[in-house]
Amino acid sequence: MRPFDYSRAATLEEAMAAGPGAALLAGGTNLLDLMKLDVARPASLIDIGHLPGLDRVEEAEGGLRIGALVPNADLARNTAVLARYPAVAEAVLSGASGQLRNAATTGGNVMQETRCSYFQDVLSPCNRREPGTGCGALGGVTRNHAILGWTEGCIATHPSDLCVALAAYDGVVEIAGPGGRREVPMESFHPLPDAEGAGPPPLARGEIITHVRLPECGAMARHARYVKLRERTSFAFAIVSAAAALDVREGRIMAARLALGGVAARPWRCREAEEALEGTAPGEDTFTAAVALSLANAAPSGDNAAKIVLAGRIAVLALSRAALGTPDRLPALPASVFEGDAP
């Protein structure tokens, strides 16, 4: 690891004033790994882990406002989150080991980097890491790479589970910066790659995520699930995942929310499927036809055509479980496709 300076910011203004070459440190569960790999090379670390007021989950206009420094472990067991946004809790619990959840934060989870092995290998060309060098993943091992929104410049996917659930629930990212405050929908916060690579950064210099806000979700609270296909049911990133929430009344779907993970450089909101499901009766055939609309433009970025099929099946499974209703207790294997096989 390269030498670096360390300081602790006492206020949000101090953190925003960090100079060139500085990186913000909260839980550090992603940043420190990248520093060890020599992918991230900050000249200084600014510890923001003790900024006041950002470690709470609060009521906000009928919904919830989650501070950027709320640990993943606290978010997953928050009673309001469990009761009203159960897919968020299920996504967080599927996302990492208990030790990592104790350290990882909401804002850090949103800002985590791709787990593309070519990005993490400094000997491989990567437009995301070094613009203009090319994409080493093209023609390589692409099983876990994008099937939606990719370009020849970058085929990496965003690894977060939490962000997929936040996008499905219409989450909004609140940002503070030298130019004031702004808000960005979670579903469009992470840029899709342009022809040259990763596209513009989600945050400008000096900007910091302060909160993620979830709007009121009404009847969807009891019909929401998260499903994640991974290489092992213990700690592993998603090959494909899906967050689904339904408003079901008198046997009809009044409104639907669906987002996919592991398929693009951002959580992929399935608007076409949502519109097709409104007014229909829940059922596997209905779900399959609706999901197909959102995957109509999916294309393999290498030897990963099977991922398109898997994405459809996982989305249908998430919708089917949501239609059955959120269980009173989260399953022993949160988000697992093998949930029914668990003791």
Side-chain angles (χ1 to χ4, degrees):
M1 185 181 290
R2 297 171 185 251
F4 58 87
D5 296 326
Y6 170 88
S7 61
R8 177 179 292 182
T11 65
L12 193 61
E13 290 70 26
E14 284 185 19
M16 291 190 293
L24 301 180
L25 174 70
T29 57
N30 184 210
L31 175 60
L32 295 182
D33 283 346
L34 294 177
M35 290 173 66
K36 293 174 184 177
L37 293 170
D38 203 31
V39 173
R41 304 170 182 176
S44 61
L45 293 183
I46 311 299
D47 189 342
I48 61 171
H50 298 81
L51 293 180
L54 301 185
D55 60 350
R56 298 192 292 267
V57 178
E58 304 168 312
E59 295 289 333
E61 302 176 0
L64 293 180
R65 195 166 181 244
I66 304 165
L69 296 180
V70 173
N72 284 184
D74 291 357
L75 183 64
R77 61 174 174 251
N78 182 276
T79 54
V81 171
L82 286 165
R84 291 150 59 184
Y85 307 93
V88 168
E90 193 166 14
V92 171
L93 290 172
S94 76
S97 66
Q99 295 93 328
L100 285 172
R101 291 198 297 271
N102 286 335
T105 62
T106 299
N109 195 299
V110 173
M111 287 300 296
Q112 67 180 300
E113 267 291 1
T114 179
R115 262 52 179 200
C116 173
S117 57
Y118 297 91
F119 169 80
Q120 294 183 334
D121 177 10
V122 294
L123 299 180
S124 296
C126 176
N127 287 321
R128 181 181 292 267
R129 191 182 64 247
E130 296 183 53
T133 59
C135 176
L138 289 173
V141 179
T142 56
R143 180 169 182 243
N144 291 331
H145 286 75
I147 55 172
L148 288 163
W150 59 273
T151 70
E152 295 290 323
C154 181
I155 62 173
T157 59
H158 193 262
S160 173
D161 294 288
L162 171 60
C163 289
V164 180
L166 295 176
Y169 279 118
D170 290 320
V172 174
V173 182
E174 298 183 6
I175 302 165
R181 294 180 178 268
R182 64 187 180 99
E183 299 180 351
V184 181
M186 184 74 255
E187 66 177 288
S188 59
F189 176 79
H190 301 96
L192 292 176
D194 53 26
E196 285 72 40
L203 297 179
R205 180 176 166 184
E207 287 190 324
I208 299 175
I209 295 173
T210 60
H211 300 84
V212 175
R213 192 176 69 254
L214 289 170
E216 195 273 333
C217 67
M220 291 185 180
R222 302 315 303 163
H223 287 277
R225 298 300 304 271
Y226 186 74
V227 179
K228 177 180 179 180
L229 178 66
R230 45 201 152 169
E231 292 184 347
R232 59 185 187 278
T233 302
S234 60
F235 173 38
F237 295 103
I239 299 173
V240 177
S241 65
L246 300 172
D247 179 352
V248 181
R249 305 180 203 176
E250 299 181 354
R252 294 283 171 179
I253 298 172
M254 309 307 295
R257 301 287 182 269
L258 179 65
L260 295 173
V263 298
R266 63 168 55 143
W268 196 267
R269 184 71 179 268
C270 300
R271 295 281 184 179
E272 301 87 352
E274 294 173 359
E275 293 176 5
L277 287 172
E278 290 186 14
T280 65
E284 184 174 342
D285 291 343
T286 302
F287 294 148
T288 300
V291 169
L293 297 175
S294 287
L295 292 174
N297 294 322
S301 56
D303 188 20
N304 61 349
K307 196 171 187 178
I308 301 173
V309 178
L310 292 173
R313 291 177 179 174
I314 293 302
V316 170
L317 180 57
L319 288 165
S320 299
R321 288 185 179 176
L324 291 174
T326 307
D328 292 332
R329 294 175 60 89
L330 286 177
L333 303 174
S336 173
V337 295
F338 303 113
E339 174 187 311
D341 300 328

